[in-house]
Amino acid sequence: MEENKRLLTSDCSFANVKPIMVDLPYPKIQVRERNLDYANLISVDYCGSVSELSAITQYINNENRMFCDRCPIAKTILGIAMAEMMHLQKLGELITLLGGTIDFSAKYSNGKSVMWTPECLTIPKKVENMLLADIESERDAISQYRKHIKMIDDDCVNAVLERIIKDEEYHIFILQVLLEEL
């Protein structure tokens, strides 16, 4: 018995999607000296509740849920996620150079270490709420980076964090434009 089956496909092609970021180079990834306290601070940016890992996962989840109906927005979200992946990679290099370890646990100053979990994510159903959650996450990341810059006395590390902030600010701008176009 042969059933009539219709293939479900998407016309949304991601072939030419590139990272969405400010057109400025990143500083060289280097540190003045090993400093485990700085590595631990950056581990929070790497994989804490407000982190690049959380941002990547949240963006990819949002992109996956909207690609069929909202292809242009999905492509933009994927481009932002790609930039966040680059941030994660750069933070990982800094952590390693500073003498820390990459194990997906954020190491806090009180000695507590917390493993990253999807519970860090905000996963609303409506596209508008997804974009609002993404904007809020970017603002939280900028605030956290600025706090960490004040705590880190290494101009090489801080230059990388400052450059990442420029991308995060640009992401907010892009997300606000997407929100206005809904």
Side-chain angles (χ1 to χ4, degrees):
M1 183 161 112
E2 198 168 312
E3 297 177 28
N4 289 334
K5 292 187 179 181
R6 190 175 132 229
L7 292 176
L8 300 176
T9 62
S10 168
D11 293 330
C12 192
S13 171
F14 295 93
N16 296 317
V17 175
K18 293 183 169 79
I20 294 177
M21 51 203 303
V22 176
D23 188 19
L24 293 171
Y26 280 90
K28 184 174 181 172
I29 305 298
Q30 58 189 3
V31 301
R32 294 287 171 197
E33 61 187 9
R34 290 187 180 273
N35 185 315
L36 194 53
D37 290 334
Y38 296 169
N40 290 344
L41 274 176
I42 295 171
S43 77
V44 175
D45 300 319
Y46 185 87
C47 64
S49 59
V50 174
S51 69
E52 297 300 335
L53 185 59
S54 292
I56 292 163
T57 309
Q58 184 166 306
Y59 281 124
I60 293 297
N61 183 277
N62 289 347
E63 176 271 318
N64 287 165
R65 291 184 298 140
M66 65 173 82
F67 83 96
C68 283
D69 300 328
R70 307 259 187 176
C71 182
I73 296 175
K75 287 180 177 183
T76 302
I77 295 298
L78 180 60
I80 293 172
M82 293 166 73
E84 304 295 357
M85 289 177 206
M86 294 175 71
H87 299 164
L88 185 76
Q89 187 272 333
K90 290 175 185 323
L91 294 177
E93 286 186 16
L94 286 175
I95 291 166
T96 302
L97 290 173
L98 289 164
T101 56
I102 305 298
D103 58 6
F104 295 103
S105 62
K107 294 148 188 88
Y108 295 91
S109 59
N110 62 4
K112 187 176 178 183
S113 181
V114 178
M115 182 71 83
W116 186 87
T117 172
E119 292 174 3
C120 298
L121 307 178
T122 302
I123 314 245
K125 293 185 192 287
K126 293 182 178 181
V127 172
E128 177 182 1
N129 292 338
M130 288 180 206
L131 296 174
L132 288 169
D134 291 340
I135 290 168
E136 187 63 29
S137 294
E138 294 284 3
R139 286 183 178 144
D140 291 346
I142 291 167
S143 176
Q144 182 170 282
Y145 279 125
R146 288 189 173 137
K147 177 182 169 190
H148 289 172
I149 287 168
K150 289 178 183 174
M151 300 169 74
I152 295 173
D153 186 24
D154 183 322
D155 60 319
C156 298
V157 173
N158 286 339
V160 175
L161 301 182
E162 289 284 358
R163 175 59 187 81
I164 290 172
I165 288 172
K166 290 182 186 321
D167 285 341
E168 307 301 20
E169 290 171 335
Y170 185 54
H171 295 162
I172 290 172
F173 170 77
I174 296 294
L175 292 164
Q176 288 172 330
V177 169
L178 292 176
L179 194 58
E180 290 171 10
E181 291 176 351
L182 288 180

